[in-house]
Structure formats: C-alpha cells, structure tokens
Amino acid sequence: MGQSSCPRTRFQPDRKPESVTSGPYPIARWGAYALLALYAAYYFADAAAPGNWAEYPLGWWGWWDQSQYLASARNLLSGNLTPEVHWYPLGYSILAAPFVAVWPMHGFFFLDLGCLLVTFIGFLAFVRRIGIAKFPAVLIFVLTTFAYPSVAETWAEPWTSTLSAALIWSLLGCAAALMQGGWQRSRVLFLGLLAASLPLVRPPDLILGTIVVAAVIAARMKAGRIRTTEVGWFAIGAAAAALPYFALYLRIYGFHPTPYMGVVRDVGFVFSRLGWKTYVLLIAPRPWYPFGQSLLAVFPWLVIAFAEMLLIVLSRRQHQRPLLVLLIVVIVVHWILYFAFADLLPSGIWRFHLIHYLKWTLPALGLFAWLFVERAWREPRWYHAATPAILFLLLSIRMTPERASATEPAEMVQYAGTQLSLQETYLREWQFHDDSGDFGMLGARALPDSQGFRVLPQRRQIVGQLRWSNGPVDPGRPEIRWKPRISFGYPCWLPPYPCQRLQPRS
C-alpha cells in the first residue's frame, strides 16, 4: 500500500489491492534495490565464495551439498542422466543449469538472486492482504534476511531452501489472494503450479503445500462452493510442474527413490525427541553441546513474535485472522518437522549454516513481532503484557546436566582424554550401539570438548554401556554419564548466558 498521512491498518476487501511497487513512494522498489545490493555484497565478500580463498579456490563448491547441486546442473547440460550424478531433487539444478552454462563458477548467483526477489514479492503480496503498510513490510523483510550475517550468508550461498522460500511465499501470497480476493483462473492455475513445485525442490515441503491448498479449499467452501473449473485449472497448473519432472525422474531413477531420499529415510524424523530438540535448539544447547547458540539467544525478539501468534490463535475478532492462522500453522508445522530431523543439531545450525532450513520463516516471525508492537501501541491491554511475560517464564526452563549412574538412561556420555578434532568426531560416521541396540545412521553424534569428547544420542537416551565401531579411539575407555535435571532460573538464552558456565565444561 502507498504511504499517506493516515495509513490504513486493515485490509478493505471492497478496494482492489495495490501493486507491490505502486503508490506515491515506491518503497518496495527501493527495498528490492537494497536486497540486490546486500545480496551482491554478501555473495562476493563471502570467504567461501569460489575464488575468494587461494588455499581453497573451489570455495563452497567443495562442500557436499553445493558440489552436488553444481554437478547435477552440469550433467543436465551435458545430457548425462545417470543416477550417480544427480543426488538431490532436480528442481534447483534444472533452474540453475542455463546460468551455469553462461557463468560456470557463479551460475547460481542469478538463480538465488531471483529467488530472493521473488520471496520478497511473495511476502509483500501476503502481508498487504492483512493490511500492513509497505514501509514496515519492506523493513521487516530486509532486516530478517540481511541484518544477521549468519542468516544473510545462507541467502548468498547456494541452498535448495532459497528456491523453496520463493515457492512458499509465492504460494502464500497466491493463497491469500484467493482467500480474500475471490476466484481468478490465473490464480488457481498458479496455485497448482506452486504447490506441485515444492516437493520437486525439497520433498518434505509437500506438507506445507498441502496445508495451504487445504486452507484455500476450506475458504472457497465457506464462501459458497468449489467450481469444477477451479479444480480443472488447479490440476492443469499442478500437471504443468509435475508431469515433465516425473518424466525426467523416470528417465534418471526409474521407480526407485533418489539417493537423497534414501538418506532422509535412514536419518529420519524423530518426533519422540521433539521436546528435547526444542529445548536445545530454541532455548539453550549448552552445556550439553560444546559449541552453538540457541535461536532465542540470536533472536530474542522471538518472544514477542510467539506472544502475538498466541494472541491471534486465541482471538476470534480479527477479520484477517484466517490468513494469520494459516501462516502460524505453516510455520509451526515446518519448525516441528525440521526440529524432529535427526541431523539438525545446535552444533551445526550456525557452524554449518543449517539455519537455512528455517530462513523462510524469519520474515514471518518478524511480521508477528511487528504486529505485537502495533497491537500494544494501538490498544494496550493487560493481557498484551501478560502474554510475553508468561512465555518468558516458560522459556526460563532449564534442563541442566547432572551425573547419572551406570544403570540410569543417559542423555550424554563423556570420555576423558586428548581432545579430538571436529573431523574425527562430528564429521565422522561413527556406528553407535548400547544395551538396547543400534542407534542407526547419525543416531548418536560425537563432539570434541576440552576434556576429550562426548556423545549425544539423537533417537533415544543411552541405555547401559555405549559402544561403537568405525571410531578413531578405543571404545573401552571409562565414561562419565549425564542425565537432565529440570529446573527454572534466569533464562539461559539471555546475557550473560549462565548455562554456559555449568558442568560439563566445553
């Protein structure tokens, strides 16, 4: 929406929404210019960018994920359709291939920049439907994508989540238009195209697309009925993405899963450990993990974002509530899914840039933080202050280590000795088992600390003696076992981060 002396704070359904770059002051256009400049600056200044480090000239093309993206794009160009050279889902590499043909070492620069701008447009298309003025909307997006270097780097580096973010926000923007703006053939066609494209880039995101489409169907049913033509145009859009991809998939893999899907299946999503994973990822990973920061330590404003999400769910008077609840559901499902993923750990979320799994949600959470501030400023109520206060208390929970006996299940086992390297521990595929059996692929992870190394299970607690093969050290050395003790205290995610000083020391 354009800026005025009396900006609208609520969407007016009888008035046609403005273009995201229209109005007397095209703030959205300047936002796009800022994103372009920030993206280019982060890309070419990144020490891991190809050619920036003489000792490692390949840069991020020497990393596993990125090397596979590039190999797939190059082999698609050359017509090599053997399964071994196409590890990940093909959607990202298909779009990158033409750019790689023009600029072999930096072909993903153009694709990722385009995805960033499409994500921005999709975000604006969604938030204008809930009555957010352009200036705060642009500011929210720019700050949540580039104010934090650790997040900004994941937009500059090649990750499939960059394309996935563009698809998710475009899908949300399209769904918002259909839910509030009524039926249009092009929108329904686009909805089908986007929903079918999501799993072609990141298969778990199929769940998000299904939720959004279901919300649109529910809104259409509430408004009257779903027309046969709507179903037809949606199917045409979905088929336009799925059928060509399926034909290429059959040519490469036949009726077999891709190597990527095989690894995802073996690593798995451990929902039984969701409470523990939420604590170490969101509140405080240390002293359990010897390095890493929690999400709240990096983004403390999440408390008011969560407060606003809770207030929206409990309220029934906001006319834009269906869109906001849809966004909340999609965020929560996405976070649950990836928090349950066995390989998303506090030790890797920043060091190995796995924050990229969650990066599309940060502008949405920034939006909720803004809505809370706007709500508290516009109509202060006692429960506006009480909600974040209650959340603050709940987030003051502590799960600190205390010594466990040999007969008690352990959440961590320490081994004294010479400190091992990250390559020998975290990056090595140890094969752990205990009295209850094998932990499976990445089911327990070894990490170095100042006293030797430690092992943290990912699928379940350690029962009895922990043993391993394929490790660099003798499994017979004495162990120190630790179990969690639940208490409350000063928040571990706020300075001076008191839990970092607890035993066992890193």
Side-chain angles (χ1 to χ4, degrees):
M1 299 174 202
Q3 302 297 304
S4 66
S5 59
C6 185
R8 292 183 294 138
T9 58
R10 293 182 180 273
F11 172 73
Q12 299 174 5
D14 59 336
R15 179 174 173 179
K16 184 179 179 181
E18 304 171 28
S19 164
V20 293
T21 57
S22 66
Y25 185 68
I27 185 65
R29 192 175 305 157
W30 288 108
Y33 295 153
L35 290 171
L36 193 158
L38 288 166
Y39 171 84
Y42 269 99
Y43 184 98
F44 291 110
D46 196 320
N52 275 7
W53 195 350
E55 189 176 352
Y56 300 100
L58 284 177
W60 52 57
W61 299 131
W63 303 349
W64 170 256
D65 293 44
Q66 286 67 23
S67 68
Q68 298 302 315
Y69 305 155
L70 183 62
S72 183
R74 286 176 171 174
N75 282 284
L76 287 170
L77 286 170
S78 66
N80 183 356
L81 300 181
T82 56
E84 292 76 17
V85 295
H86 299 289
W87 179 269
Y88 285 102
L90 303 168
Y92 191 47
S93 298
I94 289 172
L95 294 182
F99 302 109
V100 170
V102 175
W103 200 6
M105 293 301 286
H106 296 280
F108 283 77
F109 174 91
F110 301 105
L111 174 59
D112 289 343
L113 174 59
C115 289
L116 172 64
L117 296 177
V118 169
T119 305
F120 177 56
I121 293 169
F123 176 78
L124 294 184
F126 183 88
V127 300
R128 69 177 180 173
R129 294 285 173 179
I130 57 173
I132 302 297
K134 284 183 187 175
F135 181 77
V138 171
L139 191 64
I140 289 165
F141 189 89
V142 172
L143 289 178
T144 53
T145 50
F146 282 99
Y148 298 91
S150 53
V151 176
E153 288 169 357
T154 68
W155 289 97
E157 298 160 355
W159 292 103
T160 55
S161 55
T162 303
L163 176 55
S164 183
L167 292 172
I168 291 169
W169 275 113
S170 297
L171 183 68
L172 286 167
C174 182
L178 284 166
M179 291 170 70
Q180 282 198 342
W183 180 86
Q184 279 188 12
R185 179 185 302 172
S186 58
R187 288 175 181 168
V188 177
L189 185 75
F190 196 43
L191 185 78
L193 180 70
L194 292 167
S197 297
L198 270 175
L200 312 184
V201 180
R202 297 189 65 83
D205 292 349
L206 172 64
I207 298 173
L208 308 185
T210 303
I211 292 170
V212 175
V213 172
V216 173
I217 293 172
R220 295 295 298 149
M221 292 178 68
K222 185 177 180 181
R225 64 183 180 87
I226 299 177
R227 305 174 186 175
T228 305
T229 51
E230 292 182 41
V231 177
W233 283 111
F234 178 86
I236 290 171
L243 291 181
Y245 184 92
F246 184 62
L248 181 60
Y249 184 100
L250 288 178
R251 175 64 180 82
I252 296 175
Y253 306 107
F255 289 97
H256 304 287
T258 66
Y260 166 80
M261 290 305 296
V263 169
V264 170
R265 179 196 60 217
D266 293 339
V267 174
F269 297 87
V270 189
F271 293 100
S272 61
R273 300 276 289 171
L274 190 59
W276 169 259
K277 287 291 293 291
T278 299
Y279 177 82
V280 295
L281 288 170
L282 182 64
I283 298 177
R286 301 174 75 175
W288 298 97
Y289 287 80
F291 52 86
Q293 286 182 293
S294 70
L295 291 168
L296 280 171
V298 178
F299 311 121
W301 49 267
L302 286 177
V303 174
I304 61 171
F306 295 157
E308 178 64 18
M309 293 164 72
L310 184 59
L311 289 169
I312 288 169
V313 170
L314 296 177
S315 171
R316 295 188 178 276
R317 292 185 295 175
Q318 296 169 297
H319 72 276
Q320 68 267 45
R321 182 175 178 271
L323 289 180
L324 293 171
V325 170
L326 170 61
L327 184 58
I328 291 168
V329 170
V330 174
I331 291 171
V332 170
V333 169
H334 184 86
W335 275 41
I336 287 175
L337 187 65
Y338 282 93
F339 275 31
F341 187 50
D343 198 35
L344 181 60
L345 307 177
S347 49
I349 195 168
W350 305 110
R351 184 179 291 242
F352 299 107
H353 301 183
L354 297 187
I355 186 63
H356 80 90
Y357 289 147
L358 309 178
K359 69 185 181 185
W360 81 262
T361 67
L362 293 179
L365 292 164
L367 168 66
F368 287 117
W370 169 264
L371 288 174
F372 180 85
V373 173
E374 188 181 56
R375 177 198 294 265
W377 177 264
R378 187 177 63 245
E379 45 176 352
R381 298 284 189 273
W382 67 267
Y383 54 83
H384 295 163
T387 306
I390 293 169
L391 287 174
F392 185 88
L393 290 175
L394 291 175
L395 294 170
S396 298
I397 189 173
R398 292 183 175 189
M399 296 179 67
T400 53
E402 69 175 11
R403 296 289 290 269
S405 68
T407 58
E408 291 180 297
E411 200 63 66
M412 180 175 67
V413 176
Q414 268 191 308
Y415 298 91
T418 305
Q419 184 174 1
L420 302 177
S421 68
L422 205 64
Q423 190 70 39
E424 292 175 301
T425 52
Y426 187 77
L427 300 178
R428 189 184 186 106
E429 292 187 11
W430 299 48
Q431 297 169 4
F432 292 100
H433 54 279
D434 62 4
D435 292 355
S436 291
D438 188 13
F439 278 91
M441 185 177 183
L442 303 183
R445 302 300 292 270
L447 289 160
D449 63 26
S450 59
Q451 300 156 333
F453 73 98
R454 60 183 68 181
V455 178
L456 290 107
Q458 304 306 315
R459 301 192 194 282
R460 55 177 173 79
Q461 290 185 315
I462 298 169
V463 178
Q465 185 179 7
L466 183 66
R467 298 173 293 277
W468 62 85
S469 58
N470 199 37
V473 294
D474 178 11
R477 59 173 59 192
E479 62 181 25
I480 304 173
R481 301 167 65 85
W482 299 88
K483 64 181 180 180
R485 181 175 67 89
I486 299 176
S487 63
F488 283 87
Y490 180 84
C492 293
W493 46 274
L494 285 178
Y497 310 110
C499 290
Q500 293 186 14
R501 296 192 295 269
L502 299 177
Q503 291 289 345
R505 294 297 178 90
S506 300

